[in-house]
Amino acid sequence: MSSTTVPNCDVADINLASQGKTRIEWAAREMPVLDLIMKRFSEERPLEGVRLVACCHVTTETANLARALKAGGADAVLIASNPLSTQDDVAAALVAEYGIPVYAKKGEDVDTYNRHVRIALDHRPQIIVDDGCDVVATLIKERQEQLAEVFGTTEETTTGIQRLRAMIKSGVIQFPVIGVNDAETKHFFDNRYGTGQSTLDGVVRATNILLAGKVVVVVGYGWCGKGVAMRARGMGANVVVTEIDPIKAVEAVMDGFRVMPIAQAAPIGDIFITVTGNRHVIDVQHFEKMKDGAMVCNSGHFDLELNLTGLAEISKDRRPLRRFVEEYELKSNGHRVIVLGEGRLVNLAAAEGHPASVMDMSFANQALSVEYLVKNKGKLSAGLHNLPKEVDVEIASLKLDAMGVKLDTLTPEMVEYINSWEHGT
Ligand code: ADE
């Protein structure tokens, strides 16, 4: 262990720190854009003394974001954004090797999760990096007296932004929020390629099943659903998509997938994966129709996409089969429905979340959003903002440089053409 002073924390086992550090360094190799930002931050210190709370999945990738924020001078505290997604060795390393206070334990109960949110708010954050909007929601519900201290917040997920829009509509947001998920270098890549790969990784690590030949039902065809469907097809699965949005449904059809209502998909699916951001999209009437041995899991932010309370009520028996695999036996027909990762994000519960290479761009957006909020303190209106488009382009350009990919540039003749209207037939 290094000589860093160990701050206050609530982690599972501080002795895991050295293993965590090696894994954090391994992830850093795939995060060149964030690394450039971290180097600049340590020279310029744009976040000097800013009290910051980050509520994120405590992974090797998040650890590198936390290091970058600290290098910029932030006085940062990290808590988990999901009770099952924490990597305990990473939490230990952040505390013992990097001197960053962490309150997160894999498998913590909901009371502990909420207690950690309140401890984080006791830090009196001026900036909040949120993932799912739990810290911001608690701040507004319980800490009105702290609102004036907040420069702004950032939000990582589609679900969190949906929640923020509802908050803005009810008039409770009094500070600027950067919707990191809305950046193109975030959702085009993280949601699609990150969720696509890591969700199947979670299913396979939990079960060791073969995907080839299976009917995989993807519930929701947003950016995450597109990624899951694409990668499941790549593994040889026969993919069915369910949707409520006509445009997304047409897109899924033209991408070559069968589209049908969940009621129709329920009896034919082998594996169901929810990625909608909505509640009970698979409900008891669907569980009742499933084949014996059908598997269900969720890769949306919250654990309410599957109605697991309802499933428990219609079941006569329930038993764990493997880590993150639980079998429910239905009263009506004796069929067994297998639930993965307790209905929580299967990619983070049973695997390690999105790989570092894609989180590099997401967290470059986060780090630059924090800097933007600090630089523009007091100047931005309350409500949702995007990072300027140039920042998105800069992140993409740095990523391409790191991958050794070169681009073409417009010739003067091309510039003249796209800026004129006179040329035609
Ligand atoms: N969300 C999805 N994957 C993640 C990861 N690896 N780290 C942090 N947040 C994530």
Side-chain angles (χ1 to χ4, degrees), residues 57 59 61-62 131 156 190 347-348 352-355 359 363:
H57 303 292
T59 62
E61 294 74 30
T62 297
D131 183 330
E156 172 80 1
D190 168 315
N347 59 337
L348 282 139
E352 293 170 67
H354 305 350
M359 292 313 292
F363 284 163

Side-chain angles (χ1 to χ4, degrees), residues 223-269:
W223 287 104
C224 295
K226 288 194 230 294
V228 174
M230 173 174 60
R231 291 300 182 239
R233 173 159 64 192
M235 296 287 281
N238 177 338
V239 179
V240 169
V241 169
T242 73
E243 245 308 330
I244 47 104
D245 178 328
I247 297 174
K248 291 187 178 129
V250 176
E251 192 179 4
V253 170
M254 296 214 177
D255 284 344
F257 299 112
R258 279 190 288 165
V259 177
M260 62 184 76
I262 182 67
Q264 210 177 315
I268 63 171

Side-chain angles (χ1 to χ4, degrees), residues 52-86:
L52 182 148
V53 162
C55 175
C56 298
H57 303 292
V58 180
T59 62
T60 52
E61 294 74 30
T62 297
N64 285 306
L65 171 64
R67 290 175 60 213
L69 296 171
K70 184 168 175 168
D75 171 10
V77 168
L78 176 63
I79 57 170
S81 60
N82 186 292
L84 259 194
S85 61
T86 298

Side-chain angles (χ1 to χ4, degrees), residues 51 53 77 79 103 114-125 135 138-139 142-143 145-146 149:
R51 293 190 306 276
V53 162
V77 168
I79 57 170
Y103 297 84
N114 288 325
R115 186 166 55 79
H116 288 161
V117 171
R118 294 190 180 106
I119 291 173
L121 286 174
D122 291 343
H123 188 55
R124 302 196 80 93
V135 178
T138 312
L139 172 81
E142 300 180 8
R143 301 284 178 99
E145 72 286 2
Q146 286 181 223
E149 295 172 17

Side-chain angles (χ1 to χ4, degrees), residues 41 137 139 142 153 164-165 184 237 249 277 283 313 344 386 417:
F41 274 13
L139 172 81
E142 300 180 8
T153 74
L164 281 162
R165 290 219 161 90
E184 293 188 355
D283 215 331
E313 281 162 8
R344 296 197 183 276
N386 287 343
Y417 181 79

